[in-house]
Amino acid sequence: MPKKNTGDKIEKEKQEQKQKQLKLSEIYFPGLTGDPFRDRAEEKDYYLRFIDMLCLISVDLNENHPDISIDRVGSIFTDEQLMRSIEPHAHIAYPLREELRQVYLRLLHKSEESYGRGIDVPLSEIMQSGMLDKLEGLALLLAFAASSSRKYERIFAVLRAGKEECQRPTIGLCLDLAALFLEEEDRNSAVLFKEDSFLKAVLLKSPEGSRTYTEMADPLVLRASVLKLLCSNDDDLGELNRCAELMMPVFTGEDTVRKEEPEELKNAYNGLLTAGGGVINICAAEGSGKRYLARILAGEMSCRLLSVNVSAMLSYNWDMQSEFLGEILIRGMLAGDLVYLYDLPSALENGLIRTFTTLQDKLPVLIVGNDTPIDGSLMRIVRGGIYRLDLKPIGDRQQKILWEEAADEYAVSYDDDVDLDEIVSKYTMNPGRIFQAVRNSAGMAGPAGNLGRELLQEQIRRICSVDFGDSAKRLESPFVWEDLIIEPESEMLLKQVCDRVRYKSRVNEDFGFGAKLPYGRGLSVVFYGPPGTGKTMAAQVLANTLGLDIYRIDLSQVSSKYIGETEKNLGAVFDAAKNSNAILFFDEADSLFSKRTNVSSSNDRYANAETSYLLQKVEEYSGVSILATNNMQNFDAAFKRRMSFIIPIGLPDEPTRVQLWKKAFPKNAPLAKDVDFEVLSKAVEMSGSSIKSAAVSAAYMAAAADSKINMEFISIAVDRECLKNGRTGARNDILRVMMEG
């Protein structure tokens, strides 16, 4: 009889408990449906109510129903509870697990519906990410509750029977509360201890300081960036700002600069996504628009682009790198940002390996922007496929559009002397350099914000400047057309060279000739004639007229007696000049471009190979190449055919020499009355450089004698100049002509 009474009592308490808690769930969630949350405020309210209910039930069980089993494995017991827990006794199974479980599942269903309809509910997005199971979801909610209201600090202290006034939720507490509503198969505690799990690697901060307690007591604390994501729309990247930038997407409904690449990139992304993930490698030189293209893809996906400088990130210590990687995963997985990696170190270091393996564990597709393709060493650690996209250089028409867009971007306008058709014809610029040139020019423009031709060209030349090392030296270009005295036919050809540069865009793009010239759009010019006739000056006048830098290639540094070295050195010169828009001036090019011989020995074969290689590089170069030679007979017919212009710069005739003598003396030069330029021109046949040298020598003699520059000093100087070339009697010839005259 007493046993029956005891059983009845237990059953009665069980029913009372069930009724009490059924009523409690109805109070917390009256009329709970699976409809989506209205907004993030309602989402937060519902999930925190669920935590409140679990905590209240847990406190009630601890205080009033110690015999009801909820598999308390993480609780801290009082002395009385501790002794009771190890005594042999029968436990009453918790009766309302299924009812509470259904409430939790209904909340998850609301999250799923909200996420599917695109409602701004970040907590639901995490819960529906597929990276959390039900137990991890509860751990996230507990950590979120502790960061949402300080009341939970005391609640969690009470639940853990701690002596501290305030406490954080722990893994043990999570397991105890999970026992209230989750089935045993959903309460695999091992998942909460895995360091590489999404929960611990991405969402939670690691415990600080040395651990003096069991892992069961590890606190559940959200990362600051996760909390910010859940509670606000703030896009501040925090510490990640040191090596990353969050960029808005580019929406290109009618983009006229990049037409084919965005579609190819989108198809590649979807293809890798379907195939299980991988890396898209966008290859192009700096400033070509790799990141701009990635932003276009972000626009297609309706997300933002997280641009990460990998070398900058790897410059920090190991712990900070781990923090950065966690933040990147948060942005990529939770905020939905597209991750773009650039400036990868050339060496395959441990930090780079960890970066790729960590990110690829959680993010299906990464985009890597690099000057060169991903090499074999890095390719071995990339998971999934690699799609390589080589960006094509933009054409003249696209460059012109970018010049206009850059002016709009920096709120400036171009003066009337700026012809964009001429600009894109003379300067091949990628998008980055175009915007940099306008930005730099805008900073130096006047209050009106107008950019003039000279200012713009100066900034372009600064941006495109190149260091050839010892292989080339930049020449100053002070000379203008009036300084250059050559045959009219040669001058006309030189001006045609300028026209070829100025109107390249119109002919290639507007007239359609660009399609007929898949390569070899550069300009190759040969100047030939005796020494001192003005070949170098002609090149300098050309550079000054076009607003281009000119570099004299030092052939002593390029040529080599070792097989293959000359080609290697030439390749380095042309590689350096690739984006410089510079004129390459090969003075005395006979040694490199000499007439190809019949192959009678290995030396002949190698010499011919060097010449053929150089011809190939000249044709490939998109700028202007000028070859100067004293003897045109050294060039064969095939070579001449491949040159755009061949311009003779010969010895001046008598009328031309008169002009050269007059030009040789500045206006301030003290000339004596006996100086007769016509006599000098008739008496001695000289090149322009020899005339200039003689004029300077005569000026020094006059200065030393404190006298004017007279015919005597000039005659002596001319005689000395002629002796350099092995000619004697020039002074006597001048005296003879003077006597005849």
Side-chain angles (χ1 to χ4, degrees):
M1 195 70 176
K3 291 183 180 180
K4 184 178 179 181
N5 289 339
T6 302
D8 290 343
K9 181 179 179 182
I10 292 174
E11 182 62 27
K12 182 178 179 182
E13 289 178 352
K14 181 178 178 181
Q15 292 299 324
E16 289 177 353
Q17 179 68 17
K18 183 175 181 178
Q19 291 299 321
K20 179 179 179 181
Q21 294 183 3
L22 277 174
K23 184 178 180 182
L24 192 63
S25 65
E26 291 177 0
I27 292 173
Y28 272 103
F29 297 100
L32 181 63
T33 68
D35 294 338
F37 297 115
R38 291 193 302 270
D39 50 32
R40 62 169 62 194
E42 185 178 66
E43 173 198 55
K44 175 182 177 182
D45 175 60
Y46 269 65
Y47 276 115
L48 291 187
R49 268 196 265 164
F50 182 72
I51 296 298
D52 287 347
M53 184 175 66
L54 292 182
C55 292
L56 186 61
I57 292 173
S58 182
V59 171
D60 181 60
L61 290 177
N62 285 343
E63 293 180 353
N64 303 318
H65 305 280
D67 293 332
I68 295 182
S69 173
I70 58 166
D71 299 332
R72 287 192 288 269
V73 297
S75 298
I76 299 176
F77 296 105
T78 62
D79 291 345
E80 182 183 352
Q81 290 171 333
L82 180 62
M83 297 309 299
R84 190 164 57 243
S85 69
I86 61 177
E87 290 176 356
H89 61 280
H91 290 284
I92 302 173
Y94 182 63
L96 294 180
R97 179 177 290 121
E98 183 58 27
E99 284 81 354
L100 295 179
R101 179 173 174 272
Q102 289 302 320
V103 172
Y104 186 60
L105 293 178
R106 197 164 296 174
L107 291 177
L108 293 180
H109 181 71
K110 290 175 76 69
S111 287
E112 182 180 0
E113 289 294 310
S114 305
Y115 180 70
R117 298 189 187 187
I119 302 173
D120 180 26
V121 279
L123 190 59
S124 294
E125 290 180 16
I126 300 177
M127 303 289 279
Q128 295 300 315
S129 65
M131 303 300 296
L132 299 176
D133 65 12
K134 294 182 178 65
L135 181 60
E136 290 177 296
L138 177 61
L140 171 66
L141 292 177
L142 289 171
F144 177 61
S147 299
S148 300
S149 174
R150 293 205 64 184
K151 74 176 184 179
Y152 292 101
E153 296 176 357
R154 183 59 188 146
I155 290 173
F156 296 145
V158 170
L159 288 176
R160 299 189 62 234
K163 297 179 181 179
E164 297 88 350
E165 181 69 21
C166 301
Q167 286 191 0
R168 288 282 188 175
T170 61
I171 290 178
L173 177 62
C174 178
L175 292 172
D176 284 352
L177 294 179
L180 291 174
F181 67 99
L182 291 180
E183 299 294 347
E184 187 174 354
E185 59 268 21
D186 292 328
R187 290 184 278 123
N188 181 10
S189 60
V191 71
L192 298 182
F193 300 111
K194 290 173 60 177
E195 292 297 330
D196 61 346
S197 69
F198 176 69
L199 179 72
K200 297 196 75 173
V202 178
L203 302 179
L204 302 179
K205 289 200 301 186
S206 300
E208 298 179 359
S210 58
R211 177 178 281 128
T212 57
Y213 41 78
T214 65
E215 290 183 340
M216 196 76 76
D218 278 353
L220 302 174
V221 183
L222 287 180
R223 289 177 181 263
S225 55
V226 177
L227 186 61
K228 188 183 300 180
L229 189 69
L230 294 175
C231 298
S232 71
N233 293 314
D234 190 358
D235 286 333
D236 179 22
L237 298 180
E239 291 294 324
L240 195 58
N241 271 322
R242 299 188 192 184
C243 60
E245 181 182 4
L246 190 62
M247 310 188 75
M248 297 304 294
V250 175
F251 297 95
T252 56
E254 297 180 359
D255 184 75
T256 55
V257 177
R258 294 285 183 192
K259 292 184 177 180
E260 300 175 0
E261 288 94 340
E263 189 66 26
E264 183 179 353
L265 184 61
K266 184 172 69 172
N267 292 337
Y269 185 90
N270 292 332
L272 288 175
L273 205 59
T274 303
V279 170
I280 295 177
N281 184 201
I282 306 178
C283 299
E286 183 181 357
S288 297
K290 300 185 292 293
R291 187 157 53 175
Y292 178 81
L293 192 58
R295 290 173 64 192
I296 292 178
L297 178 62
E300 293 284 348
M301 298 169 57
S302 300
C303 64
R304 292 164 297 192
L305 185 74
L306 183 64
S307 177
V308 183
N309 186 322
V310 178
S311 292
M313 182 177 74
L314 298 183
S315 66
Y316 292 92
N317 61 45
W318 198 254
D319 290 338
M320 187 61 77
Q321 290 180 36
S322 300
E323 186 71 18
F324 288 152
L325 286 174
E327 297 296 309
I328 294 169
L329 288 175
I330 290 168
R331 302 298 318 182
M333 298 187 68
L334 305 186
D337 298 331
L338 188 64
V339 176
Y340 172 80
L341 307 177
Y342 71 98
D343 195 15
L344 273 64
S346 55
L348 188 62
E349 56 184 83
N350 290 335
L352 184 60
I353 295 174
R354 183 172 71 151
T355 296
F356 266 87
T357 53
T358 301
L359 296 182
Q360 285 206 288
D361 275 342
K362 303 293 188 298
L363 302 177
V365 179
L366 294 175
I367 301 180
V368 176
N370 228 15
D371 295 353
T372 56
I374 292 177
D375 62 14
S377 56
L378 181 57
M379 194 176 295
R380 288 194 293 271
I381 68 170
V382 171
R383 300 178 187 175
I386 298 179
Y387 186 90
R388 175 179 163 186
L389 177 61
D390 292 304
L391 288 193
K392 301 175 183 176
I394 58 175
D396 293 345
R397 184 177 292 114
Q398 286 74 30
Q399 290 181 52
K400 184 178 177 181
I401 292 170
L402 287 173
W403 280 110
E404 293 169 345
E405 290 183 355
D408 292 339
E409 174 76 16
Y410 298 108
V412 294
S413 58
Y414 300 115
D415 280 343
D416 294 338
D417 63 348
V418 175
D419 183 350
L420 290 183
D421 285 319
E422 181 181 345
I423 290 292
V424 301
S425 294
K426 294 194 303 185
Y427 308 105
T428 300
M429 305 274 283
N430 62 35
R433 287 188 166 189
I434 290 174
F435 275 78
Q436 183 183 356
V438 176
R439 181 175 65 248
N440 293 353
S441 301
M444 303 176 67
N450 293 339
L451 305 185
R453 180 173 179 268
E454 290 188 6
L455 173 61
L456 201 59
Q457 287 190 159
E458 177 62 26
Q459 292 305 315
I460 292 173
R461 292 167 74 167
R462 287 177 181 273
I463 292 170
C464 296
S465 63
V466 62
D467 182 10
F468 288 96
D470 295 331
S471 299
K473 179 181 179 181
R474 182 176 179 271
L475 294 180
E476 296 297 329
S477 303
F479 302 112
V480 294
W481 289 104
E482 289 74 15
D483 298 316
L484 184 64
I485 309 298
I486 57 175
E487 294 291 330
E489 179 68 21
S490 299
E491 184 175 341
M492 180 191 70
L493 289 173
L494 266 180
K495 290 182 177 178
Q496 288 182 6
V497 172
C498 293
D499 291 341
R500 284 284 289 267
V501 176
R502 286 195 184 105
Y503 302 113
K504 182 181 69 172
S505 174
R506 182 178 300 178
V507 172
N508 287 343
E509 299 288 339
D510 298 344
F511 294 178
F513 278 86
K516 304 289 185 180
L517 302 169
Y519 69 97
R521 295 193 183 190
L523 198 60
S524 52
V525 183
V526 175
F527 293 156
Y528 73 92
T533 54
K535 296 185 290 294
T536 301
M537 180 183 286
Q540 291 170 298
V541 169
L542 202 65
N544 189 11
T545 303
L546 294 173
L548 299 174
D549 286 335
I550 181 170
Y551 289 84
R552 188 206 304 264
I553 308 302
D554 188 345
L555 299 182
S556 66
Q557 297 292 328
V558 173
S559 302
S560 174
K561 65 181 180 180
Y562 298 105
I563 294 173
E565 281 297 308
T566 299
E567 292 96 321
K568 179 181 176 181
N569 296 337
L570 285 170
V573 168
F574 280 98
D575 286 344
K578 187 175 182 180
N579 298 310
S580 68
N581 295 297
I583 296 176
L584 302 183
F585 180 54
F586 294 86
D587 197 8
E588 298 181 3
D590 308 65
S591 60
L592 289 176
F593 294 90
S594 59
K595 186 174 182 178
R596 286 171 285 188
T597 63
N598 293 326
V599 178
S600 59
S601 67
S602 60
N603 289 338
D604 293 336
R605 184 169 62 253
Y606 290 126
N608 289 350
E610 290 176 359
T611 304
S612 297
Y613 179 78
L614 196 47
L615 282 173
Q616 174 191 335
K617 301 306 288 185
V618 167
E619 282 190 326
E620 291 175 355
Y621 183 53
S622 61
V624 180
S625 301
I626 299 178
L627 320 174
T629 178
N630 298 332
N631 192 349
M632 194 61 193
Q633 294 178 352
N634 286 340
F635 298 91
D636 63 15
F639 180 92
K640 295 175 184 177
R641 176 180 52 82
R642 295 164 75 172
M643 296 295 104
S644 306
F645 286 87
I646 297 178
I647 303 175
I649 311 288
L651 285 171
D653 56 15
E654 186 177 332
T656 305
R657 289 197 294 274
V658 173
Q659 296 182 56
L660 288 171
W661 275 112
K662 290 179 179 179
K663 290 278 187 183
F665 291 96
K667 293 180 179 180
N668 296 335
L671 291 177
K673 292 182 179 180
D674 65 340
V675 174
D676 191 330
F677 294 132
E678 292 184 358
V679 168
L680 294 170
S681 302
K682 184 176 182 179
V684 183
E685 185 176 336
M686 299 177 69
S687 68
S689 64
S690 295
I691 290 174
K692 185 188 298 183
S693 181
V696 173
S697 296
Y700 273 102
M701 284 186 278
D706 194 19
S707 170
K708 290 186 176 182
I709 305 172
N710 56 35
M711 201 66 170
E712 176 67 15
F713 293 143
I714 296 176
S715 298
I716 296 172
V718 168
D719 195 61
R720 291 175 180 173
E721 283 297 315
C722 290
L723 284 174
K724 294 178 183 177
N725 298 319
R727 178 184 173 183
T728 60
R731 186 180 181 190
N732 293 332
D733 290 339
I734 295 173
L735 292 174
R736 177 178 53 79
V737 172
M738 289 176 65
M739 292 175 65
E740 291 176 353

